[in-house]
Amino acid sequence: MFKKILIANRGEIACRVIKTARRMGIATVAVYSDADRDAVHVEMADEAVHIGPAAAAQSYLVAERIIAACKETGAEAVHPGYGFLSERASFCAALEKEGIVFIGPKPRAIEAMGDKIESKKFANAAKVSTVPGYLGVIEDADHAVRIASDIGYPVMIKASAGGGGKGMRIAWNEAETREGFQSSKNEAKSSFGDDRVFIEKFVVDPRHIEIQVLGDAHGNVIYLGERECSIQRRNQKVVEEAPSPFLDAATRRAMGEQSVALARAVDYQSAGTVEFIVDKDRNFYFLEMNTRLQVEHPVTELVTGIDLVEQMIRVAAGEALAIRQDDVKLNGWAVESRLYAEDPYRNFLPSIGRLSRYRPPAEGRFGDVVVRNDTGVTEGAEISMYYDPMIAKLCTWAPTRLVAIDAMSDALDSFVVDGIEHNIPFLAALMQHPRWREGRLSTAFIAEEYPEGFAPVVPSGEDKQVLAAIALAVELLRRDRLDRLPGRLAPHSGVLKPDWVVRIGDDYLPMTVTAGMISIPLEMDVAVGGAEPITVASDWRPGEPVWKGTIGGRAVSAQLRPVPNALRIAWKGMSVTARAMLPDTAALDRLMPVKLPPDTSKLLLCPMPGMVVSIAVTEGQEVKAGETLAVVEAMKMENVLRADRDLTVSRINAKPGESLAVDAVIMEFA
């Protein structure tokens, strides 16, 4: 077994590998760029080596610097994680040449399956069912249009190298093919250093289901069940689960056996993933093989009890798999939510900045539920524009799917992140969505269910009662603390005022405290709007960011953030401003004027911090609704900004190559 390994990656996956290596008694070496000097993975590792500037192309993607770090520290092997150099055969070969072991498949397997174009050619030759498409070199946009017309719209334009949803576009017509072809090439070159793309038929309403395989150097290959990865946005996975709620035993076995056959054909020796698209009739088509550890691997680990990183290390060290296919059992259900630094209220645009508060939920086993959080950040860390915007991977396991989903809902409500925008509100709302809970999924789920983008969930009558009860409980404890401060001119009588009003949005909810003592732990009976009283109980203390307790016997976790004269409460995708007041104060509050936000309808504002790639219009130009105005790049993704109505450009304030802050004015309209 290795004595020391180097992790050629950063963030949560570097931390994840270090945890397993530490458990196995293996020393670890981290590498870091200028931007990651104070990163968590650097602190966790036994040693750390600086490898260059913040840009990945000058640090994490430079194979020579990784090899130099191995020689400097005496690392015997390299775990590449995912992304960066993880699927680059030349890197694997360069390590082998230096006598350093690559913890992953051999170069032949990476070359055969890691490249999407070559993998499809290989799969076709092996008579594996694939999606119709064009796998040759695409010369230019005109050639792309001809190919798309021959295949038939809609088509998918995809980068040949890499993954993670980068360099992928769906085109429904000629114009979108031209635009998508160039954007895919640009993103592919920026992310992977390889601008080749291919085009294939886009299967409408497919599910994305993948099979985890594991092979060794002794001819043993097994599959560890499947993962459902259909909840995606812009081809980027958001929520994954294992097993799939859609597959039956026969389909699972057929997909698994086909995946094993494909892995055997290339003498696959490590953990790998064979991805399929599955139609409504459970027909499945080979999509690609990822010759690396997947981001979503924890859900497989949770339902099988198998540590995939450990298996990768053991296989790379020459050990035979100790697991046989008959040993693999799927136990319970696991769900993973990817927490991204992005603003769900601005169409999920990237957000960067410092994590002023980062408080994940407690990890471990709690009764029949397991909570796991894979992360590479801590409070005070900086979310950089140079890398992927993922903050953490929150996972829950339970004996059944709905219990696992409910556990995820509670964990998300307890996950506090401040300082940047993030997608927790969206994930929390998703956990309550009937279609998700019923397992009626496709890769178009988010586009279909949120066609106008995500907006805060509007609380129902019952939900308002819960939110109002939280607001009142917090306010009563706050007032009790003030009433008991030493030095008061007159001692407090200790009498609890029974009548209150809680304002949520434009609604004023009358509330009556019918019984209880205001103390910690708090327990009181409250009637909302004359209804039957409900019991509110909690051991929450002022200043804690998460309120936990029971309301009417229902367990509730909600995030609290103070705002002027009120409280911001986030719960299950809802985000409301609540203010608990005495009735006389509420009567005056109704008379207060409403301040309207400024009119920005004649401005194009930069929706996130980023760099201007191009300006598509000129001053004085008349533009139709839907036409491209500008392209802004952030976190390796190109974001096309389009006109939302017919307009005339009066002034352009930005130019290509310029870095802009969020809400910077790009252009003005007449």
Side-chain angles (χ1 to χ4, degrees), residues 141-386:
D142 289 335
H143 189 198
V145 168
R146 292 197 300 273
I147 293 168
S149 298
D150 291 341
I151 295 173
Y153 290 105
V155 298
M156 175 76 83
I157 305 168
K158 302 176 71 171
S160 177
K166 296 178 177 65
M168 298 174 65
R169 292 291 188 276
I170 298 172
W172 296 80
N173 53 48
E174 178 178 330
E176 291 182 0
T177 300
R178 292 182 181 279
E179 185 177 273
F181 174 75
Q182 193 58 52
S183 292
S184 292
K185 285 178 70 69
N186 292 345
E187 284 184 8
K189 186 173 183 179
S190 173
S191 298
F192 315 118
D194 183 345
D195 68 352
R196 291 177 303 147
V197 299
F198 66 97
I199 298 177
E200 65 183 13
K201 180 70 176 176
F202 177 67
V203 179
V204 178
D205 292 333
R207 285 177 178 257
H208 184 131
I209 300 176
E210 59 193 29
I211 302 291
Q212 177 71 58
V213 297
L214 193 59
D216 63 20
H218 305 276
N220 303 305
V221 185
I222 60 174
Y223 66 94
L224 307 181
E226 81 280 2
R227 295 184 288 260
E228 172 91 50
C229 307
S230 297
I231 304 295
Q232 304 179 3
R233 190 189 61 78
R234 291 182 65 179
N235 305 304
Q236 177 76 56
K237 299 166 188 173
V238 178
V239 176
E240 301 97 350
E241 61 182 311
S244 166
F246 184 62
L247 294 192
D248 54 27
T251 307
R252 176 178 296 114
R253 184 171 57 255
M255 293 175 70
E257 290 174 352
Q258 181 170 316
S259 299
V260 166
L262 196 61
R264 287 187 185 281
V266 290
D267 189 25
Y268 197 86
Q269 302 174 25
S270 191
T273 300
V274 182
E275 300 195 347
F276 296 90
I277 56 173
V278 184
D279 67 19
K280 59 183 178 60
D281 298 317
R282 295 193 180 93
N283 298 309
F284 56 89
Y285 304 93
F286 171 73
L287 193 60
E288 61 182 330
M289 184 175 188
N290 288 310
T291 54
R292 56 171 166 80
L293 191 67
Q294 289 281 83
V295 175
E296 58 274 17
H297 76 275
V299 292
T300 295
E301 294 183 329
L302 287 169
V303 297
T304 62
I306 297 170
D307 185 325
L308 288 170
V309 173
E310 178 182 347
Q311 295 303 317
M312 293 180 74
I313 294 173
R314 292 191 180 282
V315 167
E319 295 185 13
L321 289 179
I323 311 160
R324 296 294 179 260
Q325 191 64 60
D326 291 343
D327 299 328
V328 178
K329 308 296 181 186
L330 302 184
N331 176 35
W333 218 282
V335 178
E336 175 182 290
S337 292
R338 300 191 188 190
L339 275 62
Y340 285 115
E342 59 188 14
D343 189 345
Y345 305 123
R346 289 191 176 200
N347 198 27
F348 300 92
L349 292 171
S351 175
I352 63 174
R354 189 169 299 281
L355 294 172
S356 58
R357 181 174 284 181
Y358 179 78
R359 309 282 174 84
E363 295 184 76
R365 190 177 190 106
F366 307 94
D368 287 338
V369 169
V370 174
V371 177
R372 168 177 168 175
N373 185 51
D374 286 16
T375 187
V377 300
T378 189
E379 194 161 289
E382 187 84 16
I383 302 300
S384 169
M385 67 180 289
Y386 295 103

Side-chain angles (χ1 to χ4, degrees), residues 10 20 23 90 103 198 342 372 376 396 398 401 575 627:
R10 62 176 302 279
T20 288
R23 181 175 56 77
S90 60
I103 302 176
F198 66 97
E342 59 188 14
R372 168 177 168 175
T396 55
R401 184 173 185 268
S575 183
E627 290 187 24

